[in-house]
Each structure stands twice: as C-alpha cells, then as structure tokens.
Amino acid sequence: MRRSIIAGNWKMFKTCAETRAFFDALIPEIQNVEHCDIVVAPPFTALSTAVDETEGTRVAVSAQNVHSEKEGAFTGEVSVRMLTEVGCTYTIIGHSERRQYFGETDESVEKKTLASVGGGLNAIVCVGEILSERDSGQAIEVVRRQVRIGLGRLTESALSHIIVAYEPVWAIGTGRTATPEIAAEMHAEIRKIFAEIYNPAAAYALRILYGGSVKPDNISALMKKEDIDGALVGGASLDPASFVRIIKYS
Ligand code: PGA
C-alpha cells in the first residue's frame, strides 16, 4: 500500500513570525494523525523556523525550489546541501509557476531532480498541462513528455525518493478543480508511463499527488480514487484550520 501525503505549498506567503503562528495552531491538531505523511513548503527564509517548529512532530519541511549545481556563481539560488543543512527533507521541483514565470523546462527539472535525490532530498516533481493543451486534446501527450524528459533517467534507488504531483495548470489558484475522474485518469496514465520506462513494481510504488484548488470540501472525493495518493495544496494550506481539515480527509 502506498502511504498518502498531504503537502502544503505556501508559495510566496508567510514571514518567520507568521510561520511560527501557523505551526502553533497546526501542531496540536495533528498529534494523532497517522494515516498520511504531512509536508509543508514555506519560502526559503522561513525554512529554518519551520524546521524548529516541527521538530519531534510528523511534519516534514520542503523547499519550493532548488538549484541543480552544488555551489557556484548563481546569484539568488540555493543548493541541495544548503537545504539539507537546515533540516529540509523535501523539495518541490518544476512547479508550473516556476515553468511559467522563471523559464524552467523539462531539462532543468531533470537536472534539479537528479541533484536533489543525489543529495538526499525527496523530490515532489510537478507536471501538468495548460488549458489550451487540455482543450486541444494534448494533455496526455504533454504530461508524457514532461515525465519522460524530467523523470526518465533515474536509478531504481532514486525512484523511491520521487513523488509526482499532477497539477493541471488550469486548476491552480482558479477555484476550478479537476474532477476526481479527470485527475484519476491522468494519474493512471502517469503510472503507466513509469511502468513503460521502469517496471510495473516501481510504477505501483510511485506516489502521485493531485494539485489544483484542493480544498477541505473536495479532498475526500479525490482521495477515494485508487491512483490518487495525496494532494499538493496551495491556497488552502495557508490557513491552519483548512489545512487540518484537508489532512483529516478520511
Ligand atoms: P492551489 O495551488 O491549491 O492554490 O490551486 C496548488 C499549487 O500550485 O500547488
């Protein structure tokens, strides 16, 4: 059985003080949660605070991005070793906002993924089509390309540190969630691609999260689908009360 993951992506929200306030409210509410892994991805500046606040709890801390080089003259960037040093155990890679606003490509996703798992991080790698691609019937083809280029050359041991997040771009921050059926269809497709590239056992073990307007009132229907192993939550992860309701979907 795959263990579910509920992950919160805070994007460019929350200072250190706001991070402390969030965990002060969240932690008491999730003491008894055992059915899923919980991951929170604050901005870089609040990572250390988040690690301190979650010490001894079930919450793991994730970065939202990472650079693929070990170190160097890359102004504004942060390396894998810098993240693991502060206590991060995950990073998100290739989020659609990184692809759209910061020029990330399937090729950079591959480099970042290899560097991350090589350096001891779990990687939540995002894929997903934009609206025009869905409307023109190309959604599967686009995701297939993103997976093949971004995640097609991993070792078996690296694979166990990969989590895929399917985030149809048209559903992110729009309030327009993919129906559980649309999401489940693509999740099954992603598993099929992994079975083709690697093998059925690796594909079966892969955890695939859905992301895009996940809210307390739609999480249960999504989680009922066999191939949906959790959620990557943006807006609704910023408020501890709504994030708790999502974590306690079952
Ligand atoms: P959203 O964002 O839940 O606010 O739609 C999801 C994401 O971008 O990961």
Side-chain angles (χ1 to χ4, degrees):
M1 266 301 278
R2 295 182 294 270
R3 196 170 155 72
S4 312
I5 305 182
I6 301 294
N9 170 16
W10 287 359
K11 311 192 178 185
M12 200 173 73
F13 291 96
K14 291 195 195 293
T15 62
C16 291
E18 288 162 348
T19 299
R20 275 190 288 275
F22 175 91
F23 286 111
D24 288 350
L26 181 82
I27 300 298
E29 298 295 327
I30 54 159
Q31 301 288 17
N32 301 321
V33 170
E34 287 181 356
H35 63 277
C36 66
D37 292 339
I38 304 169
V39 179
V40 174
F44 286 133
T45 47
L47 286 176
S48 225
T49 303
V51 168
D52 290 346
E53 290 287 321
T54 56
E55 210 192 316
T57 74
R58 316 181 70 89
V59 181
V61 175
S62 174
Q64 298 173 15
N65 180 33
V66 66
H67 196 272
S68 54
E69 293 296 323
K70 284 197 164 70
E71 59 185 3
F74 301 105
T75 302
E77 294 293 321
V78 170
S79 73
V80 172
R81 198 158 63 91
M82 293 167 187
L83 295 176
T84 55
E85 188 203 36
V86 297
C88 257
T89 50
Y90 287 78
T91 183
I92 298 171
I93 293 174
H95 188 279
S96 64
E97 286 149 17
R98 302 287 325 164
R99 295 178 189 253
Q100 187 181 351
Y101 305 130
F102 304 99
E104 294 203 8
T105 60
D106 297 332
E107 287 75 15
S108 66
V109 166
E110 178 184 37
K111 281 192 195 150
K112 288 176 180 214
T113 303
L114 292 172
S116 296
V117 294
L121 287 174
N122 297 296
I124 301 174
V125 181
C126 302
V127 297
E129 78 285 359
I130 61 175
L131 185 59
S132 59
E133 291 163 343
R134 170 145 301 260
D135 287 346
S136 60
Q138 292 173 288
I140 288 176
E141 194 183 309
V142 167
V143 169
R144 203 163 248 285
R145 186 205 70 220
Q146 291 171 335
V147 171
R148 283 207 166 267
I149 301 177
L151 296 170
R153 288 189 290 195
L154 298 165
T155 61
E156 286 256 343
S157 72
L159 259 185
S160 62
H161 297 284
I162 300 292
I163 294 136
V164 173
Y166 169 58
E167 300 205 308
V169 180
W170 46 271
I172 296 178
T174 57
R176 187 179 158 187
T177 329
T179 61
E181 289 67 35
I182 292 178
E185 183 192 24
M186 189 64 89
H187 283 224
E189 192 62 37
I190 292 169
R191 220 176 280 293
K192 203 164 101 190
I193 306 167
F194 271 82
E196 284 163 20
I197 304 175
Y198 299 101
N199 58 67
Y204 179 78
L206 178 73
R207 292 185 289 179
I208 308 175
L209 314 184
Y210 168 77
S213 299
V214 172
K215 301 279 183 281
D217 59 8
N218 59 26
I219 182 73
S220 312
L222 289 160
M223 292 303 290
K224 282 201 185 98
K225 295 289 181 191
E226 193 189 313
D227 279 308
I228 301 183
D229 304 312
L232 180 55
V233 187
S237 72
L238 293 170
D239 168 40
S242 88
F243 195 48
V244 165
R245 287 175 59 204
I246 292 172
I247 291 168
K248 296 184 177 173
Y249 61 84
S250 57

